[in-house]
CSV table of all heavy atoms in Angstrom, one decimal:
chain,number,residue,atom,x,y,z
A,1307,ARG,N,75.3,114.5,91.9
A,1307,ARG,CA,74.6,115.2,92.9
A,1307,ARG,C,75.6,115.8,93.9
A,1307,ARG,O,76.7,115.3,94.1
A,1307,ARG,CB,73.5,114.3,93.6
A,1307,ARG,CG,72.5,113.8,92.6
A,1307,ARG,CD,71.4,113.1,93.4
A,1307,ARG,NE,71.9,111.9,94.0
A,1307,ARG,CZ,72.0,110.7,93.4
A,1307,ARG,NH1,71.6,110.6,92.2
A,1307,ARG,NH2,72.4,109.6,94.0
A,1308,ALA,N,75.1,116.8,94.7
A,1308,ALA,CA,76.0,117.4,95.7
A,1308,ALA,C,76.4,116.4,96.7
A,1308,ALA,O,75.6,115.5,97.1
A,1308,ALA,CB,75.2,118.6,96.3
A,1309,ALA,N,77.5,116.6,97.3
A,1309,ALA,CA,78.1,115.7,98.3
A,1309,ALA,C,77.2,115.6,99.5
A,1309,ALA,O,77.1,114.5,100.1
A,1309,ALA,CB,79.5,116.1,98.7
A,1310,ALA,N,76.5,116.7,99.8
A,1310,ALA,CA,75.7,116.7,101.0
A,1310,ALA,C,74.5,115.7,101.0
A,1310,ALA,O,74.0,115.2,102.0
A,1310,ALA,CB,75.1,118.1,101.3
A,1311,GLU,N,74.2,115.2,99.8
A,1311,GLU,CA,73.1,114.3,99.6
A,1311,GLU,C,73.5,112.9,100.0
A,1311,GLU,O,72.7,112.0,100.2
A,1311,GLU,CB,72.5,114.3,98.2
A,1311,GLU,CG,71.9,115.6,97.8
A,1311,GLU,CD,71.3,115.5,96.4
A,1311,GLU,OE1,71.0,114.4,96.0
A,1311,GLU,OE2,71.1,116.6,95.8
A,1312,GLU,N,74.9,112.6,100.0
A,1312,GLU,CA,75.4,111.3,100.3
A,1312,GLU,C,76.5,111.4,101.3
A,1312,GLU,O,77.7,111.1,101.0
A,1312,GLU,CB,75.9,110.6,99.0
A,1312,GLU,CG,74.8,110.4,97.9
A,1312,GLU,CD,73.9,109.2,98.3
A,1312,GLU,OE1,74.3,108.5,99.2
A,1312,GLU,OE2,72.8,109.2,97.8
A,1313,PRO,N,76.2,111.9,102.5
A,1313,PRO,CA,77.3,112.1,103.5
A,1313,PRO,C,78.0,110.8,103.9
A,1313,PRO,O,79.1,110.9,104.4
A,1313,PRO,CB,76.6,112.8,104.6
A,1313,PRO,CG,75.2,112.3,104.5
A,1313,PRO,CD,74.9,112.2,103.1
A,1314,GLY,N,77.4,109.7,103.7
A,1314,GLY,CA,78.0,108.4,104.2
A,1314,GLY,C,78.8,107.8,103.1
A,1314,GLY,O,79.3,106.6,103.3
A,1315,ASP,N,79.1,108.4,102.0
A,1315,ASP,CA,79.9,107.8,100.9
A,1315,ASP,C,81.4,107.8,101.3
A,1315,ASP,O,82.1,108.8,101.1
A,1315,ASP,CB,79.6,108.6,99.6
A,1315,ASP,CG,80.3,107.8,98.4
A,1315,ASP,OD1,81.2,107.1,98.6
A,1315,ASP,OD2,79.8,108.1,97.3
A,1316,THR,N,81.8,106.8,101.9
A,1316,THR,CA,83.2,106.7,102.4
A,1316,THR,C,84.2,106.9,101.3
A,1316,THR,O,85.2,107.6,101.5
A,1316,THR,CB,83.4,105.4,103.2
A,1316,THR,OG1,82.4,105.2,104.2
A,1316,THR,CG2,84.8,105.4,103.8
A,1317,VAL,N,84.0,106.3,100.2
A,1317,VAL,CA,84.9,106.3,99.1
A,1317,VAL,C,85.1,107.8,98.6
A,1317,VAL,O,86.2,108.3,98.4
A,1317,VAL,CB,84.5,105.5,97.9
A,1317,VAL,CG1,85.4,105.7,96.7
A,1317,VAL,CG2,84.6,104.0,98.3
A,1318,TRP,N,84.0,108.5,98.5
A,1318,TRP,CA,84.1,109.9,98.1
A,1318,TRP,C,84.8,110.7,99.1
A,1318,TRP,O,85.7,111.5,98.8
A,1318,TRP,CB,82.7,110.5,97.9
A,1318,TRP,CG,82.7,112.0,97.9
A,1318,TRP,CD1,82.2,112.8,98.9
A,1318,TRP,CD2,83.3,112.9,96.9
A,1318,TRP,NE1,82.5,114.2,98.6
A,1318,TRP,CE2,83.1,114.2,97.3
A,1318,TRP,CE3,83.9,112.6,95.7
A,1318,TRP,CZ2,83.5,115.3,96.6
A,1318,TRP,CZ3,84.3,113.7,94.9
A,1318,TRP,CH2,84.1,115.0,95.4
A,1319,ARG,N,84.6,110.5,100.4
A,1319,ARG,CA,85.2,111.3,101.5
A,1319,ARG,C,86.7,111.0,101.4
A,1319,ARG,O,87.5,112.0,101.5
A,1319,ARG,CB,84.7,110.9,102.8
A,1319,ARG,CG,83.3,111.4,103.1
A,1319,ARG,CD,83.0,111.5,104.6
A,1319,ARG,NE,83.2,110.2,105.3
A,1319,ARG,CZ,82.4,109.3,105.4
A,1319,ARG,NH1,81.2,109.4,104.9
A,1319,ARG,NH2,82.7,108.2,106.1
A,1320,LEU,N,87.1,109.8,101.2
A,1320,LEU,CA,88.6,109.5,101.2
A,1320,LEU,C,89.2,110.1,99.9
A,1320,LEU,O,90.3,110.7,100.0
A,1320,LEU,CB,88.8,108.0,101.1
A,1320,LEU,CG,88.5,107.2,102.5
A,1320,LEU,CD1,88.5,105.7,102.2
A,1320,LEU,CD2,89.5,107.6,103.5
Side-chain angles (χ1 to χ4, degrees):
R1307 296 186 295 272
E1311 295 184 24
E1312 296 289 342
D1315 190 336
T1316 305
V1317 171
W1318 163 252
R1319 290 200 308 270
L1320 289 168

